[in-house]
Amino acid sequence: MKYKLGIIGYPLGHSISPVIQKAGFKSLGLEAEYDILETPAEDLVDRIKYLKANGYNGFNVTIPLKIPISFFMNDMDDYSNIAGCINTVKISGEKRELFGYNTDVYGFKTAIPKEIDLTGKNACMLGTGGASRAAAVGLVEKGITSINFYTRNILNAQNAINYLRDKFPEIKFTAHQYRMLLNFRKRQL
């Protein structure tokens, strides 16, 4: 069976996903194609229709679509539901249903060495997009008690922060603008 897969998001000119995915397919002996499908947010509905109608088996999702893609899923894994964002979608069945996964959480948690105990610790994170939501879920599962998010736009970040507060009321989440971080660094020099 030949698989038809791709990545959606915008912009994608910098993406090395096809190289990585094709090497993975080759190492597993799978026959697959992997397309770059630039998709601005306003074209998401049309892109989903295209993927379903043109025989795609699934696709990866990147900025700025990791959060809005969740509204189009027939079902999703637990991490997608908790994080509120998706980075991998499987298309299957006669009705071409969409099943969403958040593999970012698994990848993030796996990257933390087992000998590092994060119980009761605090963390800092740059950004509040889909990947940082996934990392926050992983950190909470590792025992973090507070996360400080540094963001370019604190007003936009409040949606993500409030979402995480609803999911994890026992964790302290705060947001700070990058400018504060840059000013702090200048004082240290």
Side-chain angles (χ1 to χ4, degrees), residues 67-135:
I67 296 168
I69 193 73
S70 64
F71 297 110
F72 299 94
M73 296 299 109
N74 297 95
D75 202 359
M76 62 181 79
D77 73 349
D78 289 340
Y79 280 142
S80 296
N81 192 34
I82 294 168
C85 55
I86 292 168
N87 71 334
T88 304
V89 177
K90 178 181 175 183
I91 304 172
S92 63
E94 199 174 290
K95 294 182 179 180
R96 310 292 291 148
E97 292 182 331
L98 303 177
F99 190 92
Y101 300 87
N102 189 311
T103 62
D104 287 338
V105 178
Y106 298 106
F108 182 80
K109 284 177 36 178
T110 303
I112 300 170
K114 291 180 181 172
E115 61 273 6
I116 295 178
D117 182 11
L118 297 177
T119 306
K121 305 281 190 213
N122 303 317
C124 291
M125 196 167 318
L126 297 177
T128 54
S132 65
R133 281 190 188 197

Side-chain angles (χ1 to χ4, degrees), residues 4 46-56 91 96:
K4 192 171 182 181
D46 289 336
R47 180 61 74 200
I48 292 170
K49 289 177 185 176
Y50 172 85
L51 291 162
K52 289 171 122 181
N54 286 282
Y56 280 81
I91 304 172
R96 310 292 291 148

Side-chain angles (χ1 to χ4, degrees), residues 121-152:
K121 305 281 190 213
N122 303 317
C124 291
M125 196 167 318
L126 297 177
T128 54
S132 65
R133 281 190 188 197
V137 171
L139 287 169
V140 168
E141 286 192 356
K142 291 287 192 173
I144 288 288
T145 57
S146 72
I147 301 174
N148 292 297
F149 288 91
Y150 290 88
T151 180
R152 289 178 292 190

